[in-house]
Amino acid sequence: MDKLKQLLHALNGKGYKSYKQIKGCYRFPGHTLEFDHIQGDPFAAPTRITVRVTHEQSHFSTQCWSNASRCLGFEDFVARTVATACQRYVRGRRGSGNSGRIGITTNQQYILKRNALTVHTDHVAARMVVGLPADGRSVAAREAEIMLFDELPQVIRHSLYHDALDVTAMGRHIECCEDQDALRHWLHEENLVAFVADGALLPRRSGVDDQPLSDAPIVFTAPPTLRRTVTLPHAGTVSGMAISSGVTLVVGGGFHGKSTLLRALERGVYNHIPGDGREQVVTVGNAVKIRAEDGRVIHDVDISAFIDHLPFDRDTRHFHTENASGSTSQAANIMEALETGCKALLIDEDTSATNFMIRDERMQQLVARDKEPITPLLHRVRELHRNHDISSVIVMGGSGDYLDVADHVIMMDTYQACDVSEQARALTRADARPPTGLTPWPTLRQRRLPRVLLNAERRNGKTKIDAGDHTTLLYGEHEIDLSRVEQLVDPGQIRTIGQIIRFYVTHYHENTPDSVSGIQRVLTQIATQGLDILMDTKTGTLAVPRLQEIMAAINRIRPD
Ligand code: ADP
Ligand code: MG
């Protein structure tokens, strides 16, 4: 600690690069401070540090991380407390560029496994960033001293010590996380797809703001016929709407809350923070939102179940394109989701290709079967469930055809869910017969994407992996467009996806039969050894993505 002070004094006024000399680890009375990477310029990405506090000093109870769910909730809560303490105790701007900043990465509404704050056998480690202060382009030692010897210790004192935390809020956070995992486990046991608790608050502030709508929202109430109760470890008995496996249709007039419900189900694969409104809205962990995505690339996917005999005999068993249509992209999205072991498809008419979803009778009469390459999902969705145990939740206000194939029909009426399955059954056409003459469902093929496609090196030989913005993964020479992979919720997931693909290529591509099993190996290794295995450099900006989104990124890499 004194050494660091002396070093800083000696560097005062020198060129900014001389900050590099403080690299190393320093012992403070209540913590250790390690510089993992020191920025070379006040305008560069800020300096990365790791702060460690031993359990002996912090007095955290091992109860806080006694299982994986609790540990996730604990780490997330403490990271958020660090972030709040930074806002409170750090003055902020101290000179040019990033000077003066101290921070940690968190997500607003979701509790994700990340590496910003982690529990270890004898300590808690916080990966933070510090914008080392500059006076022009020189070291501002006095300011640095205030940051590292005054502000940072204050932040630590108010976040990484048990007695400084709001213990009630922490307990709630941990228990909320445990309950959501318990709910997901219950879904699995009961063969359900999703659960939406009574009292849940589904609408969000806007399409780009995931915080709960504060303007007089209508809370969710389950229709009595679909209501189930479940006992959670902490919340006790909770009632709500259970969506069973099978085909569930969500109908209702425009602007009555259909998409809002589906969106909540999409996000139900993640845990939410207390107060989010969707803490008890949970979906099976492998559910995938399926949408049309025209223009995307497709690598060797068998879409023949949906698209067959294309003009000029293009092979749809090994379908390649660099510019998919709405329907071919939606078909590929389904087949790729199934390849990852997905058991529930979430589909909204708003983002679907009409010709992929339906083809009505008159159109079937006008365009002969052998002139129409598309078998709409309508004709496959029952078979998907019956033969392959894949459930669907489909928002469809615009066509009654799906009434014939639905097990349950939920109507959204002024943001309230009603069970209209009986009425829908009465409308089912007596002459509705299952479609005939369909191509047999193809055997699921597990692809291994070619190594050349997955190369993270740029032409200059350097590896490049970063999240371009919230929707792009920069990977080697590739810019992978993830804007329509709708279940990504954090830029850290995008960055981590890039690292996982690279890790897969270097460690598992050769010795695993296909990409899904290779990526699964990486995920297993992360679960046991932590996210840090992915990178030599230390950052606190990674967040664990699902297998589904990692594969989505791989599937969207364009060939050079
Ligand atoms: P639909 O898909 O049926 O056309 P949306 O789900 O897009 O309707 O919802 C329409 C609007 O209503 C959105 O702006 C949404 O935020 C709002 N909304 C949805 N559910 C609720 C609710 N429970 N309370 C208040 N507003 C809601
Ligand atoms: Mg809608």
Side-chain angles (χ1 to χ4, degrees), residues 262 289-294 326-327 329-330 334 346-358 377 393-396 402 486:
L262 195 82
K289 167 70 177 285
I290 300 292
R291 57 167 293 163
E293 201 180 337
D294 56 314
S327 55
S329 62
Q330 200 160 358
I334 291 188
L346 308 174
I347 300 173
D348 193 332
E349 59 183 348
D350 292 354
T351 48
S352 291
T354 309
N355 57 353
F356 180 78
M357 298 301 286
I358 48 174
L377 178 67
V393 181
I394 302 171
V395 170
M396 177 58 81
Y402 273 87
E486 295 184 77

Side-chain angles (χ1 to χ4, degrees), residues 527-545:
T528 50
Q529 292 168 258
L531 280 162
D532 288 351
I533 57 160
L534 295 176
M535 293 172 80
D536 296 332
T537 52
K538 291 177 183 159
T539 74
T541 58
L542 302 182
V544 176

Side-chain angles (χ1 to χ4, degrees), residues 193-223:
V193 169
F195 180 79
V196 186
D198 288 324
L201 207 156
L202 308 184
R204 301 290 105 188
R205 283 201 192 154
S206 77
V208 292
D209 185 349
D210 242 352
Q211 293 182 81
L213 182 75
S214 44
D215 188 16
I218 293 171
V219 299
F220 189 84
T221 323

Side-chain angles (χ1 to χ4, degrees), residues 80-119:
R80 285 171 199 273
T81 314
V82 173
T84 316
C86 287
Q87 278 167 7
R88 178 134 178 229
Y89 299 102
V90 179
R91 196 185 81 187
R93 200 165 168 77
R94 288 177 185 274
S96 48
N98 279 314
S99 293
R101 212 183 119 203
I102 302 182
I104 191 164
T105 314
T106 57
N107 185 288
Q108 194 166 35
Q109 299 303 115
Y110 303 98
I111 303 179
L112 304 174
K113 191 78 184 167
R114 32 191 354 135
N115 70 343
L117 191 132
T118 45
V119 182

